[in-house]
Amino acid sequence: MKRVWLCIGILGVILCLSAGWLACLYDRTKEMSRLIDNCVTLAENDSEDTREAILELCDYWESFYGIASLFENSLALNSISDSVSKLMPLYEKDNDELFSECEMIKVACDRIFRSNMPFVSDAIAD
């Protein structure tokens, strides 16, 4: 009977860690989306605060990357890092590709979140 309780405890810990990771990833993804929207809005309005918003986004991405790299493959994260690193040069050159890079970052972050969501169809397909 002790083994049954031990197994239930282990499964409980796994479920709690998984739920915690999803909650953390959800919060980080929403904050990243908010920062991107802020950058886009400021850039569209030619605001002087755009540079600071981009720097804030870059700093936030670095902290997000550190956490996400524990659970995600580096290919997806490196793609986002490449896009984030392009933001400041695109802004300085007043290039309209800034908006497409921002949208790409937003979609890629959302894809990372969705790839971690457990769906019944994913379990059946495997």
Side-chain angles (χ1 to χ4, degrees):
M1 191 66 177
K2 290 180 183 178
R3 291 181 189 161
V4 171
W5 288 112
L6 179 65
C7 290
I8 290 172
I10 291 171
L11 286 174
V13 168
I14 291 171
L15 288 174
C16 287
L17 288 174
S18 297
W21 166 242
L22 284 176
C24 175
L25 189 58
Y26 176 78
D27 289 342
R28 297 237 174 213
T29 302
K30 288 301 173 191
E31 180 64 16
M32 192 74 175
S33 180
R34 185 193 68 77
L35 290 171
I36 291 169
D37 290 340
N38 185 35
C39 287
V40 168
T41 302
L42 291 173
E44 286 174 342
N45 297 330
D46 293 328
S47 174
E48 297 173 0
D49 296 332
T50 307
R51 179 180 300 281
E52 291 174 20
I54 291 173
L55 290 174
E56 182 182 2
L57 174 64
C58 292
D59 290 341
Y60 190 79
W61 171 248
E62 286 184 28
S63 69
F64 184 25
Y65 183 90
I67 292 172
S69 65
L70 296 173
F71 300 98
E72 289 300 316
N73 67 14
S74 62
L75 184 61
L77 296 175
N78 288 341
S79 172
I80 297 172
S81 291
D82 291 343
S83 293
V84 169
S85 67
K86 292 178 188 176
L87 292 179
M88 190 57 77
L90 289 173
Y91 170 69
E92 289 172 350
K93 292 181 180 178
D94 199 25
N95 194 327
D96 286 338
E97 287 185 31
L98 172 72
F99 304 112
S100 64
E101 286 294 329
C102 286
E103 188 62 30
M104 191 181 100
I105 294 167
K106 196 175 189 181
V107 168
C109 288
D110 189 53
R111 188 179 311 126
I112 288 173
F113 173 70
R114 294 195 183 283
S115 72
N116 281 277
M117 289 296 294
F119 292 110
V120 174
S121 61
D122 293 341
I124 294 172
D126 292 337

